[in-house]
């Protein structure tokens, strides 16, 4: 996705190639991110965690859509839009590296509901 930074300064044919490579990378990234819940959480929790990941992505899309509309309406152009979209995957990867040190199953006893007294 960082290739998106060069789209605004490229001829149309090269911009199409850059878009194609960037979105191929985005789909690969999406596939890898969506497998993390299955690698880390017990089978009974995978659907819920994957649903939360999907919800977060959808809400990020809503916020980004509003931000893009505001940027374009206020004359900022597509440069900042491509800068932000090209940086979010890198920022997400950094967050994953900082928060998930080792991809291993979560201790399932921490996911259990407390017993009623």
């Amino acid at each position: 996705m960082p290739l998106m930074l060069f789209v605004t300064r490229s001829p149309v044919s090269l911009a199409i190639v850059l878009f194609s490579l960037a979105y191929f990378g985005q789909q690969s990234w999406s596939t890898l991110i969506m497998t993390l819940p299955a690698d880390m959480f017990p089978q009974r929790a995978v659907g819920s965690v994957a649903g939360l990941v999907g919800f977060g992505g959808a809400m990020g899309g809503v916020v980004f859509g509003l931000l893009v509309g505001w940027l374009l309406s206020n004359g900022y152009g597509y440069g900042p839009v491509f800068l932000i979209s090209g940086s979010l995957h890198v920022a997400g990867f950094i967050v994953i590296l900082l928060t998930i040190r080792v991809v291993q199953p979560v201790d399932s006893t921490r996911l259990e509901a407390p017993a009623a007294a």
Side-chain angles (χ1 to χ4, degrees), residues 8 15 18 22 36 40 45 61 63 83-84 94-95 115:
T8 58
L18 292 174
L36 277 177
M40 296 179 64
V63 171
L83 175 69
I84 294 168
I94 291 169
V95 168

Side-chain angles (χ1 to χ4, degrees), residues 1 10 21 24 29 41 47 50 55-56 65 76-78 80 87 90 100 104 113 115-116:
M1 288 305 284
S10 302
L21 289 172
F24 172 79
W29 164 264
F41 292 93
F55 175 75
Y76 288 96
Y78 283 97
S87 303
V90 175
I100 303 173
Q104 63 186 11

